[in-house]
Amino acid sequence: MRNPQGPFALSLPQPLRDHYGASTGERAATVSKALNSVVELRLAPEDNRRLANLCGPMDENLRQIEAAFDVTIGRRGSSFRFSGDAAQAEKGAQAIEHFYNRAHDELSLDDIQLGLVELTRGRTLKGINADFEEGPALRTRRADLRARTPRQGEYIEQIRGHDITFGIGPAGTGKTYLAVACAVDALEREQVKRLVLTRPAVEAGERLGFLPGDLTQKVDPYLRPLYDALYDLMGFDKVTRLIERHAIEVAPLAFMRGRTLNHAFIILDEAQNTTPEQMQMFLTRIGFGARAVVTGDPTQIDLPKHVKSGLMDAADVLAGVRGLAFTHFQSEDVVRHPLVGRIVDAYAARRAETDK
């Protein structure tokens, strides 16, 4: 039986207990908050197997929770001590209880990090995303694939409802992966006949020099992230068969010139490294029954300084064009290691300070 006041009982100093009265009833966890921003949590019933699953090998899961909430966690048996900002320490305690309730089976690092993404946004795993889950599921090999943030859910809906969608934002927000998932879903449902995935072959601030091999071997390293997403969502063997049948094509952007792509799902990745001319060329390749998604991160432009990004130019020129959709991701949409969102914010703050 859970106390109706919540999973945590606040243990107050004696004078305050005398004034407010001591709390009563059974609880799954007991929390005491001291004036020095320390929160203590005791998990009950104590289960050594669940505790082991919760903490992970060498307490790796606890370290992830520490990083997510910027707190220090100490543990002795089923008792946990959280040190740090009062609000963050309490959130850390709530996260521990949340994962303990799910720890009947082993919790992988992915389980912890994906759960933390949602908990740090103020949601539970079955909370605000329920509306997205009620819609048609994406047909991919990943049964757990779904929107992890409201903006990701909006992105998926825009891809489904528009012929051309732009996904703009920082690394780790799922722009490319969700676009590939929607493309795979459309192919599986026979809404399109083929997938075309492309990106500009631009060096990320390096000079790679001469690359040995034939043309495919030269450009494949630039396209590897797209292959990785396809393999994860469809499996290596199926992707290989579809590539041999030309139902999937992964090619540099330069190969798109002069083509008309009918009944295809087309993805332009790393679009921040296109020029305005290249972007116009790509967008005018769209044929009958085709759908396109353009993704890019304006903070990772590798073009020469005097060259304007085609992605930023398109965002300005096409903002009012009917039939196009734009999703602008923020650092709170990052679905990677908890530190990635903070890194994005730190660089954004420095850029804002430099621009003043």
Side-chain angles (χ1 to χ4, degrees), residues 216-230:
T216 300
Q217 292 171 326
K218 291 177 189 293
V219 300
D220 266 2
Y222 295 101
L223 306 172
R224 182 53 50 189
L226 299 176
Y227 282 110
D228 291 342
L230 285 172

Side-chain angles (χ1 to χ4, degrees), residues 259-280:
R259 303 179 61 182
T260 300
L261 301 172
N262 295 317
H263 306 291
F265 196 116
I266 313 148
I267 298 174
L268 171 58
D269 191 31
E270 296 290 330
Q272 75 275 4
N273 289 325
T274 63
T275 65
E277 294 77 16
Q278 287 176 318
M279 178 61 74
Q280 181 180 358

Side-chain angles (χ1 to χ4, degrees), residues 2-77:
R2 289 181 75 84
N3 186 283
Q5 298 176 359
F8 301 104
L10 203 59
S11 179
L12 301 173
Q14 186 62 43
L16 294 179
R17 288 205 305 272
D18 293 340
H19 179 72
Y20 290 106
S23 57
T24 59
E26 294 183 9
R27 287 170 173 80
T30 301
V31 178
S32 64
K33 187 188 299 180
L35 298 178
N36 60 350
S37 300
V38 172
V39 172
E40 294 181 352
L41 168 70
R42 179 169 55 82
L43 296 171
E46 185 172 342
D47 184 326
N48 289 333
R49 180 184 176 189
R50 288 169 66 188
L51 285 169
N53 291 338
L54 168 67
C55 297
M58 304 296 291
D59 287 345
E60 177 62 27
N61 293 346
L62 298 186
R63 302 291 80 82
Q64 296 296 319
I65 296 172
E66 284 182 327
F69 296 102
D70 196 19
V71 296
T72 301
I73 301 176
R75 179 179 78 92
R76 177 173 293 180

Side-chain angles (χ1 to χ4, degrees), residues 100-241:
Y100 186 67
N101 290 335
R102 294 168 50 86
H104 296 284
D105 298 315
E106 182 178 349
L107 296 175
S108 68
L109 202 57
D110 286 350
D111 294 330
I112 295 294
Q113 291 187 348
L114 288 173
L116 285 172
V117 166
E118 295 176 325
L119 288 172
T120 53
R121 309 298 185 260
R123 303 187 301 279
T124 64
L125 292 176
K126 296 295 183 182
I128 198 167
N129 285 317
D131 290 341
F132 304 133
E133 294 176 344
E134 290 175 0
L138 296 177
R139 290 188 183 178
T140 72
R141 196 175 65 159
R142 291 287 302 273
D144 61 341
L145 179 64
R146 59 186 175 85
R148 299 287 176 175
T149 72
R151 203 169 279 113
Q152 285 189 348
E154 174 190 335
Y155 182 53
I156 293 174
E157 293 300 324
Q158 287 185 336
I159 292 174
R160 287 173 172 168
H162 296 81
D163 290 335
I164 300 179
T165 303
F166 286 78
I168 303 173
T173 51
K175 305 181 300 294
T176 301
Y177 193 85
L178 290 176
V180 175
C182 289
V184 170
D185 176 73
L187 185 66
E188 295 288 354
R189 295 178 189 274
E190 299 183 352
Q191 296 173 350
V192 296
K193 295 181 180 178
R194 58 176 170 158
L195 309 184
V196 179
L197 285 66
T198 183
R199 64 190 303 182
V202 176
E203 298 170 353
E206 303 161 299
R207 294 292 179 266
L208 301 180
F210 174 77
L211 293 175
D214 59 24
L215 184 60
T216 300
Q217 292 171 326
K218 291 177 189 293
V219 300
D220 266 2
Y222 295 101
L223 306 172
R224 182 53 50 189
L226 299 176
Y227 282 110
D228 291 342
L230 285 172
Y231 294 151
D232 190 41
L233 293 166
M234 301 184 76
F236 180 84
D237 292 338
K238 186 170 185 177
V239 170
T240 302
R241 290 196 304 270

